[in-house]
Amino acid sequence: MSTTHIITFPALLMLLYFPSSDPVTVTTSKAKVEVHENTNAVLSCEFRTEKETNPRVEWKKRGKDVSYVYFDGDFTGSFKGRASIDGATMTLRGVTQKDSGVYHCEVTARQDKIKLGEVTVTLSVLVPPHAPSCEVPETVMTGFSAELRCKDKLSVPAAIYSWYKDNKPLHTASLPEINYTLDPKTGTLKFKAVSKSDEGQYRCEASNGVGAPKSCAGQHMKITEFELNMTIVIAIEVGAFLFLLSCCVAICLCCRRGCCRCCRRSKRETKQSRTKTSYIPPDPRRYKHTQSFVL
């Protein structure tokens, strides 16, 4: 029994004269914060120091560059006037998409052995769908392809798209009986070859689970058939005749002026043939008479 007292007493003395020295520690109760646009966001930051009673607290936001949010006891930039701090926990009021990002809470305790502690909090500001911009061709000929586009660049997370024809939803799955493909991620609706039955009122709807879905105004797509009337036929025939006539005239003028090699060669051959046909050999009787006169 006495031995036990002898062992525990020195240990008690060590605890009394050499207290534990825990370094500054910084923690957060929520490392990822998701809030809706135009609401308040609470970024938790809690600390515990060894000796320091008045540590320095700083908040920074990391983007392309690191910028101060809270420094030297005051908020900076766009955070001034719409943010508050309690201990080291920061509250942002009326957040927008620009506030999304990675934030660092740093606590400096100069009297502690380990003087710096930090924690990271990621803020995501969710934005409900906006009315998407839609592109629908006004007129498409039967048998031709067509592409309808839909895009909402503002919603966070990214929107999923649905297309409606005459207020009836179009299938997103590829089925053998349909002649189109619909990509819900890009919002593109493609027709391989339109038919008269594809004519109608088309609208696109964007949704992302944050707010109510939004649609663009319906737009009518008209399907026309390619028809040949007599006026078009006559115009094509007259145009073809004039083209052939102009080609013939151009060839004739070129040959007359000797622009072509073949024309120059044919002219040369014609001259040579004329020279050959114009040559008359001498009369042998004439030479005979001359010889007799000399004798």
Side-chain angles (χ1 to χ4, degrees):
M1 192 74 176
S2 59
T3 308
T4 306
H5 285 293
I6 293 171
I7 294 172
T8 56
F9 185 71
L12 181 61
L13 289 176
M14 289 180 66
L15 288 173
L16 291 172
Y17 288 97
F18 301 100
S20 60
S21 57
D22 294 332
V24 57
T25 56
V26 182
T27 59
T28 181
S29 59
K30 200 170 185 180
K32 292 184 179 180
V33 179
E34 288 187 350
V35 294
H36 288 201
E37 191 178 31
N38 298 320
T39 60
N40 297 343
V42 178
L43 307 186
S44 167
C45 181
E46 300 168 356
F47 64 88
R48 186 178 61 187
T49 61
E50 176 191 355
K51 296 179 180 179
E52 182 67 59
T53 57
N54 188 25
R56 187 179 68 186
V57 177
E58 294 178 358
W59 276 95
K60 299 176 184 178
K61 184 183 179 185
R62 187 176 68 193
K64 291 182 179 179
D65 300 317
V66 177
S67 58
Y68 278 102
V69 177
Y70 181 80
F71 175 74
D72 199 18
D74 197 9
F75 288 94
T76 64
S78 62
F79 298 95
K80 185 173 290 188
R82 66 181 189 94
S84 59
I85 196 163
D86 182 13
T89 297
M90 180 173 63
T91 301
L92 304 179
R93 296 186 294 272
V95 293
T96 64
Q97 182 56 34
K98 292 181 180 179
D99 296 323
S100 295
V102 179
Y103 292 79
H104 292 277
C105 175
E106 295 182 359
V107 178
T108 304
R110 295 178 181 178
Q111 296 183 13
D112 292 8
K113 288 183 179 179
I114 298 177
K115 295 179 171 54
L116 179 66
E118 63 178 342
V119 72
T120 300
V121 181
T122 302
L123 173 62
S124 299
V125 179
L126 307 178
V127 182
H130 290 66
S133 60
C134 301
E135 297 179 14
V136 179
E138 293 182 2
T139 306
V140 184
M141 286 188 179
T142 305
F144 283 77
S145 62
E147 186 172 317
L148 288 69
R149 299 184 184 92
C150 178
K151 196 67 178 176
D152 174 16
K153 297 180 180 179
L154 301 176
S155 62
V156 179
I160 299 297
Y161 302 98
S162 305
W163 277 95
Y164 293 81
K165 176 181 177 288
D166 299 329
N167 290 325
K168 295 179 181 178
L170 298 178
H171 297 283
T172 56
S174 297
L175 301 175
E177 63 268 18
I178 61 177
N179 65 333
Y180 61 82
T181 56
L182 198 166
D183 190 338
K185 292 183 179 180
T186 61
T188 305
L189 175 62
K190 293 181 180 180
F191 290 89
K192 297 177 182 177
V194 297
S195 61
K196 195 67 179 175
S197 61
D198 295 320
E199 183 173 331
Q201 194 88 358
Y202 287 85
R203 67 177 178 89
C204 173
E205 183 180 86
S207 60
N208 67 349
V210 177
K214 294 292 180 69
S215 299
C216 63
Q219 301 178 42
H220 189 78
M221 185 173 71
K222 185 178 180 181
I223 309 300
T224 60
E225 295 183 359
F226 185 73
E227 296 180 356
L228 280 176
N229 53 29
M230 288 304 296
T231 305
I232 297 175
V233 173
I234 293 170
I236 293 173
E237 290 180 352
V238 170
F241 173 74
L242 291 175
F243 176 74
L244 292 173
L245 182 63
S246 61
C247 289
C248 292
V249 171
I251 292 170
C252 291
L253 289 174
C254 186
C255 288
R256 278 191 179 185
R257 294 177 182 178
C259 298
C260 302
R261 290 183 179 180
C262 59
C263 295
R264 289 198 294 268
R265 188 182 299 168
S266 62
K267 280 188 176 182
R268 199 179 297 117
E269 291 175 355
T270 305
K271 284 182 180 180
Q272 290 176 358
S273 62
R274 283 180 181 177
T275 306
K276 288 181 181 179
T277 53
S278 62
Y279 173 74
I280 303 173
D283 190 359
R285 290 179 297 176
R286 185 178 173 184
Y287 283 99
K288 213 171 191 181
H289 179 72
T290 308
Q291 287 176 359
S292 63
F293 178 74
V294 172
L295 290 172

